[in-house]
Amino acid sequence: MSENIMRIIDLRGKNLSRAELLAAMPRAAMGTSEATDLVRPILEDVKARGAAALRDFGEKFDGVRPTNLRVPAEAMKNALETLDPEVRAAIEESVRRARAVAKSQVPKDFHTDLAEGARVAERWIPIQRVGLYVPGGKAVYPSSVIMNTVPAQAAGVESLAIATPPSKGDPDGLPNKTILATCAILGVEEVYAVGGAQAIAMFAYGAKGSEPQDGEILCDPVDKITGPGNIFVATAKSLVSGFVGIDAVAGPTEIGIIADKTANPSLLAADLIGQAEHDELAGSVLFTDSTDIADKVQENLNYRVPRTEHAERVHTSLSGTQSAIVLTDDLDQSIDAANAYAAEHLEIQTADADAVVPRIKNAGAIFRGPYSPVPLGDYMSGSNHVLPTGGTARFAAGLGVHTFMKPVEVIEYDEQGLKAIAARINAFAVSEDLPAHGECVLSRFIDDPYDKATIVEQEKKAGLR
């Protein structure tokens, strides 16, 4: 009999506090602190030398020195023309569905009238310029181009740039052709063959040109950076956050599944493997109150893992400390544990999924039922696959149109609207020992707000009391 791949965390019979439950959840180590010493000099070098540093780092880390750091329009056009028709159809369908959802996500402006001449409005304003990072590494991610670009376009972002690593197999150092074709389908014209921490530096600080084809300025700085990446990209985003906005510091990807005795163990195993394929640090966690399901999932893993192409990577992920089968007393405890884990992706495979979904408080995205597997969301559900990881779904949300907009309040009071509360504002300001705040308001209605001895009399005379 084969040894079980996934470890067991047994919560049965335990009455855990919130802190104990959070601590019991399997996690991958982020480790950004270890990368900081490597990343910080890259950021400083790109800030100082611009395109020259970008080419040096491309040669060092990607094994290619790009001729054109900014991808020529002709290269994107050629990539689209030579794209496999079936792949193009799939990409276009993914874009269509993502755009339909994003259109519905656009927040509406509103206003509230508090009294006569007293209104507070809220406007949603698109971020002016954004930089979207699309990773390379173990796989090619045209899907990430879609997930980052579509909501930014729906938000009305007026300036959008994409950075993605150069392809080692391309003699000119151009990025993967499917990624370039996807950019062309989406109408993105500003694309850079730059990867890793150096791409984040380019977006944050801008980059001056170093060769004639770069121009004087290769890339202008952006206001916000979004998109997933490896540990060095995550660390770079963390270091530049505050100087520019970021969506999140993403950790390894993860799946949680709540399953009861009615679930199909073969499908559960397939879904755990699908997520484990991403990365050796990817987390796959099954929450179940059925020991029979747990045993059958282990059996299915033993059968399936050796047969999948990236078997070694999958096995490393599933057997790591970040993955586990969590045994619970009942469905209630499974839900509590899943809310503590706060999975990036959470599948619900139970007899009554509709009763479970409203009880999920923490998840990046919820996949209801056996026919809503995570890869559906990765590619074509219309939802976004850039989601909070590492338990941050307890307080953070996935990428969406809102990521690329900012609410700004507009305060619209006329003379009567301010007059009605001027004395109260002054009283409030004085209580905080900020009398000039009150004097600022009173100056609009009385002659001498600095004469505190007569202030009440002046307020009465002006009709403020």
Side-chain angles (χ1 to χ4, degrees), residues 282-294:
S284 296
V285 182
L286 172 65
F287 303 94
T288 184
D289 59 351
S290 170
T291 55
D292 183 54
I293 285 291

Side-chain angles (χ1 to χ4, degrees), residues 40-219:
R40 197 182 299 277
I42 296 173
L43 300 181
E44 294 300 324
D45 198 12
V46 172
K47 186 177 182 180
R49 297 197 298 127
L54 294 174
R55 284 189 172 87
D56 288 346
F57 288 126
E59 188 170 21
K60 179 178 180 180
F61 296 125
D62 300 308
V64 61
R65 192 174 185 87
T67 304
N68 292 288
L69 289 168
R70 178 162 176 171
V71 177
E74 190 66 24
M76 288 192 282
K77 179 183 176 184
N78 291 340
L80 182 57
E81 289 174 349
T82 57
L83 184 63
D84 181 291
E86 283 195 33
V87 176
R88 178 169 182 167
I91 290 171
E92 288 175 342
E93 180 63 16
S94 177
V95 169
R96 185 188 72 79
R97 291 172 182 246
R99 280 185 169 152
V101 174
K103 182 179 179 181
S104 299
Q105 283 185 340
V106 178
K108 305 293 189 295
D109 295 351
F110 69 86
H111 68 266
T112 303
D113 290 320
L114 299 157
E116 187 69 30
R119 169 177 289 184
V120 174
E122 184 170 271
R123 293 179 56 215
W124 282 87
I125 302 173
I127 291 172
Q128 189 173 357
R129 178 166 164 78
V130 299
L132 313 178
Y133 186 75
V134 177
K138 293 183 174 67
V140 176
Y141 295 102
S143 56
S144 287
V145 179
I146 298 168
M147 300 299 167
N148 281 271
T149 302
V150 168
Q153 291 177 331
V157 171
E158 62 183 63
S159 179
L160 185 156
I162 286 178
T164 190
S167 176
K168 293 180 180 180
D170 190 287
D172 296 320
L174 292 172
N176 175 271
K177 288 188 176 181
T178 307
I179 287 178
L180 294 184
T182 306
C183 291
I185 289 170
L186 289 162
V188 179
E189 298 178 350
E190 188 179 350
V191 181
Y192 296 91
V194 181
Q198 58 269 31
I200 305 306
M202 176 186 73
F203 281 152
Y205 307 122
K208 59 188 177 183
S210 65
E211 297 186 11
Q213 63 268 34
D214 299 338
E216 184 178 348
I217 300 295
L218 172 71
C219 178

Side-chain angles (χ1 to χ4, degrees), residues 435-447:
H437 282 58
E439 292 156 6
C440 164
V441 172
L442 294 179
S443 292
R444 287 157 169 78
F445 304 104
I446 67 177
D447 294 331

